[in-house]
Amino acid sequence: MPRTEPIKAVRGVRDVLPRDRAAWRAVERSASHTAKRFGYQEIVTPIIEREELIERVGSDTDAVAKELYRFEDRGGRKLALRPEATAGIVRAYFEGGLNQGPQPARLYLLGPMFRYDRPQKGRYRQFFQFDIEAIGSPSPAVDAEVIEIGQGWLRAVGIRETDLQLNSIGDAKCRPAYLERLRAYYRPLKDQLHGDCQRRLETNPLRLLDCKVPQCQPFKEKAPRITDHLCDECAAAWASVRRLLEAAGVGYVLNPYLVRGLDYYTRTVFEFYPAGAAGQQDALCSGGRYDGLAEAEGWPSTPGVGFAGGIDRVVEVIVAGGQEVIAAPAAEVVVLADAGLEVEAAEVARICRQARSTVADYEPRSLRAKMRSADKVGALFVVLLSADDAAARKCQLRHMATGEQQSVSWTELPERLA
Ligand code: AMP
C-alpha cells in the first residue's frame, strides 16, 4: 500500500535551509576564527559515545537523567548520542595522547548535540554547539582566556552588548563545608520550598540557588554565599580570574546563584547572555572549570576549563536583531540555453566553472522566467546560448547589475568572468 501521508522530520529537530545557512556559516566561521586566533585547534569527536561515559560524568543533570538519547547497537553495546562535548573531548585528550603534548591542550569543536528535551522555541533535540576546552592547566589565566574567547566570538558575530555572569563554586576542599552551611540555612525553610528543591536540599543543595520557581526565590538572598567560604587556593584563583578579566577589559557581574550541580565542576562558572536578558532566557554560552572531570572518567586527575556556546541561540539573536548577513549567491553564473542545447549548455557551464560557481538552467520555461530565477539565485552573470551562437562556439554574456551584454567566444569566458 502506498503511504498517504508524506514522511516528516523527527520531532524537535530541524533543517537548516540554504537561505539560513549564511547566518549559520558566519557564526561558525567566527567561532573557528576566534578559537584559532587564541591558538586553539579543531578536534572532531564522535557523536556516539558509550552510555557509561556520559552517565558517569552527568548522573544528576537533566541533560543526562531525563534527556539522554540512549540506544543499543546491533552488537548489544549500550551507546548514547552525546548531549554535550566535554566528556568526549576529555576522553579523546587521553586516548589520543594529547596529555603527553604541550599543556594545556587548547581545543575547539563545532558540532551537533542531542537532548531529549521538550521541544520549544530555542530548544531542540538536535542543536549545535561551539565548544572550547583547555585541558591540563589549573591556571586562572586560562579561565580568563576562555572567557575572553567567548566574548570575542560574540563580538565577532555582532552581539556587542552582553552580560557576563560570574561565580566561583570552590572545590572538593572547601565546598563540602559550605554545602553543610547551605543545608543548615535551608532546613528550617524546607516546607516552603517546591518539591524538587525539598529533595535537592539533601542530595544536591547547590541547585537550590539556581532554582527558578517563584516560591523558592525569597530565601535566596539571605543564603550563605560560597564566595565568602572559599579555601585559600580557591580564593586566590577567584581574585586572579577577576583581576585578569578587568585587565582584559571584560566586564562581568557577580552572580552568587550561578552554580553547577556536579561534583567535578570546580571554581569558575560563567554564562554570557544578550544584554539585559540574563535570567529571562537561555544563555548564549556557558562554561567553567572542571578539575574533577578527568578522574570521574577514570583517567589521572587533570584540570580543565571550557565553555559551550549555543549556535542555534546565537543565530536566532543575530537574525532577530535584523543584522544583515550577506548571503553568498547560490551561483554566480547561470547558463540559459535554448531547448535541445543541453550538451552545449553543460559544456559552457563547465568552462565558466573555471572562474566562478555556475549552474545551467535546463528547465523547459520561458526566457523571462529563467532570467527571473537567475536573479533570485543572486547570479552576477547570465550566459545566453542560442542554437546559432552554439554552432559558432559563442554566447551572449550579460552582466546582471548593469544589463550590459556582449557576444563572447566560449574560450574567452573564464577571463571575462574573472
Ligand atoms: P549547556 O551545555 O546546557 O550549558 O548549554 C550550552 C549552550 O547550548 C546554552 O547556552 C544554549 O545556548 C545551548 N543549548 C543547550 N541546550 C539546547 C537545546 N536543547 N536547544 C538549543 N540550544 C541549546
Side-chain angles (χ1 to χ4, degrees):
M1 270 264 293
R3 289 182 63 101
T4 49
E5 287 284 312
I7 303 165
K8 303 259 182 78
V10 172
R11 186 167 142 80
V13 307
R14 55 191 186 143
D15 305 301
V16 180
L17 299 173
R19 63 165 178 265
D20 302 323
R21 265 306 285 169
W24 280 76
R25 201 191 303 271
V27 171
E28 289 164 354
R29 276 217 192 114
S30 307
S32 42
H33 183 77
T34 309
K36 284 184 190 144
R37 209 154 30 94
F38 280 82
Y40 285 63
Q41 293 182 300
E42 186 171 24
I43 184 167
V44 175
T45 66
I47 283 163
I48 47 175
E49 293 281 358
R50 286 174 194 271
E51 182 186 324
E52 200 192 351
L53 175 83
I54 312 289
E55 292 209 316
R56 228 201 277 158
V57 302
S59 55
D60 199 47
T61 61
D62 286 348
V64 167
K66 294 185 243 144
E67 301 172 1
L68 192 64
Y69 272 96
R70 302 177 166 84
F71 65 100
E72 224 172 78
D73 74 2
R74 286 165 194 264
R77 295 173 198 89
K78 289 189 183 324
L79 304 178
L81 297 183
R82 64 182 182 197
E84 51 91 47
T86 313
I89 294 177
V90 168
R91 176 194 55 65
Y93 163 87
F94 287 100
E95 281 198 280
L98 300 178
N99 57 329
Q100 308 294 331
Q103 302 298 307
R106 292 182 161 88
L107 305 165
Y108 78 93
L109 176 146
L110 287 161
M113 308 295 154
F114 303 85
R115 292 182 195 172
Y116 194 80
D117 206 351
R118 194 168 64 81
Q120 52 191 296
K121 188 163 163 38
R123 302 237 123 212
Y124 309 99
R125 289 181 174 174
Q126 172 179 286
F127 58 99
F128 293 79
Q129 285 186 340
F130 165 38
D131 210 74
I132 280 281
E133 310 294 350
I135 309 173
S137 167
S139 170
V142 185
D143 302 37
E145 172 181 294
V146 159
I147 292 173
E148 219 182 317
I149 296 175
Q151 177 171 295
W153 173 51
L154 295 172
R155 292 239 164 123
V157 298
I159 307 178
R160 302 204 74 76
E161 303 294 323
T162 50
D163 280 347
L164 167 62
Q165 309 257 319
L166 189 68
N167 196 21
S168 168
I169 54 170
D171 66 4
K173 201 164 141 200
C174 51
R175 194 158 50 210
Y178 167 73
L179 294 183
E180 260 326 302
R181 274 177 195 272
L182 194 60
R183 284 195 190 96
Y185 166 80
Y186 268 110
R187 273 191 195 116
L189 306 166
K190 186 170 176 181
D191 293 347
Q192 300 172 64
L193 301 173
H194 93 287
D196 273 352
C197 278
Q198 293 195 10
R199 187 178 52 80
R200 286 179 191 143
L201 172 51
E202 297 307 327
T203 58
N204 197 352
L206 263 194
R207 295 296 310 279
L208 296 180
L209 297 174
D210 73 350
C211 169
K212 304 281 184 297
V213 175
Q215 83 187 76
C216 302
Q217 302 312 305
F219 313 115
K220 281 189 192 176
E221 191 167 336
K222 295 216 173 76
R225 299 190 168 184
I226 188 159
T227 44
D228 296 332
H229 302 280
L230 297 174
C231 58
D232 291 346
E233 292 85 348
C234 286
W238 175 228
S240 216
V241 169
R242 287 178 300 154
R243 204 171 48 241
L244 285 153
L245 289 176
E246 280 150 26
V250 176
Y252 58 84
V253 179
L254 298 180
N255 179 350
Y257 312 124
L258 184 61
V259 296
R260 296 281 181 264
L262 292 167
D263 285 348
Y264 63 75
Y265 283 110
T266 50
R267 299 183 177 168
T268 312
V269 284
F270 64 92
E271 288 183 347
F272 279 100
Y273 289 87
Q280 292 157 41
Q281 47 179 260
D282 268 354
L284 298 171
C285 215
S286 74
R289 186 162 270 289
Y290 47 83
D291 292 350
L293 176 59
E295 232 175 332
E297 288 188 14
W299 303 105
S301 170
T302 305
V305 59
F307 71 72
I311 294 185
D312 305 65
R313 274 293 287 134
V314 167
V315 169
E316 271 159 20
V317 168
I318 64 174
V319 170
Q323 194 183 313
E324 199 176 337
V325 181
I326 308 292
E332 295 164 307
V333 182
V334 177
V335 179
L336 304 181
D338 287 351
L341 295 177
E342 285 78 8
V343 173
E344 290 81 356
E347 185 175 349
V348 169
R350 221 171 285 125
I351 295 169
C352 294
R353 245 169 242 132
Q354 294 170 20
R356 288 182 181 274
S357 59
T358 304
V359 294
D361 185 340
Y362 299 112
E363 300 312 304
R365 352 174 236 187
S366 71
L367 182 63
R368 264 186 60 166
K370 288 187 181 193
M371 286 295 282
R372 253 203 316 273
S373 143
D375 202 35
K376 266 199 193 145
V377 301
L380 307 174
F381 298 95
V382 161
V383 174
L384 299 155
L385 199 60
S386 66
D388 285 351
D389 272 350
R393 297 182 77 77
K394 287 183 159 183
C395 60
Q396 304 295 316
L397 177 62
R398 185 182 170 90
H399 188 246
M400 294 296 272
T402 61
E404 233 175 86
Q405 191 167 310
Q406 280 178 317
S407 179
V408 173
S409 75
W410 293 3
T411 49
E412 279 179 279
L413 277 167
E415 192 186 315
R416 302 296 291 271
L417 290 170

